[in-house]
Amino acid sequence: MGSIPSPGTRIFYEVVLLNFCSNCGSPVETKIPPGDHLPRFVCNSCNTVHYKNPLLVLGCVPEWQDKILLCRRAIEPRLGFWTVPAGFMENGETMQQAAARECQEEALATVEVTSLLAVVNVTRANQVHVMFRAKLLEPKFAPGIESLEVRLYTEAEIPWSELAFPSGEYTLRQFFADRAAGRDDHHFTELKSRGFAAVAE
Ligand SMILES: [Zn+2]
């Protein structure tokens, strides 16, 4: 196992430490490779450098008439709290496909993903959350395996104090402000608060 990196080294602070090389199975060491400027997990047997870079979380605000669809989480973190459908992007898909897939998985709902709504840099958790607007193609939905409950909310009904993640709250506030103004803008922000470290939708 590699030596424990300094807690001041942010890239390692919130990520799972890597113990073994996924290429050859040997223990990895934490060191700065030649020509690099940050510590990486490096295999001393096969010299593979295992980079740990930010993860993309894709989500959408599914709209049906004047309502939007939210899911109540059946899993930790934030079990029992409400969220827009969102989750980690998979290899080989576009951001729009990822957003639509997450909605299908968490809300069993089919959407047409439309415009970019919000990009939230969650630097504390080494994640970037990208949120789109979306149209529900029909008012059919039900809890997927990661949801306890799925329902349509008017703006006045949104359970603001029971939202799972600040990135979701930011997204919804931008969505409703834009809708009231009759525009489809893109919004960018950085959220650093401690509460984001547990985000793993
Ligand atoms: Zn190796």
Side-chain angles (χ1 to χ4, degrees), residues 20-28 42-48 50:
F20 297 99
C21 175
S22 57
N23 186 44
C24 75
S26 299
V28 297
V42 181
C43 177
N44 284 326
S45 288
C46 72
N47 294 319
T48 300
H50 299 275

Side-chain angles (χ1 to χ4, degrees), residues 17-96:
L17 290 172
L18 187 71
N19 291 329
F20 297 99
C21 175
S22 57
N23 186 44
C24 75
S26 299
V28 297
E29 190 182 350
T30 303
K31 64 182 182 186
I32 300 176
D36 206 338
H37 62 288
L38 290 171
R40 312 287 182 190
F41 299 110
V42 181
C43 177
N44 284 326
S45 288
C46 72
N47 294 319
T48 300
V49 181
H50 299 275
Y51 295 94
K52 293 292 181 185
N53 297 109
L55 291 171
L56 275 171
V57 170
L58 266 295
C60 67
V61 179
E63 204 176 7
W64 176 259
Q65 297 170 351
D66 66 330
K67 298 180 176 176
I68 61 120
L69 193 68
L70 296 181
C71 306
R72 199 155 72 88
R73 291 172 61 81
I75 53 170
E76 295 288 359
R78 303 293 277 161
L79 191 155
F81 287 80
W82 290 90
T83 181
V84 296
F88 290 112
M89 190 174 178
E90 301 287 1
N91 295 331
E93 64 185 1
T94 66
M95 289 199 289
Q96 290 92 331

Side-chain angles (χ1 to χ4, degrees), residues 124-135:
R124 180 72 193 210
N126 301 321
Q127 295 175 0
V128 180
H129 298 189
V130 181
M131 305 293 190
F132 286 85
R133 296 176 186 84
K135 301 282 184 204

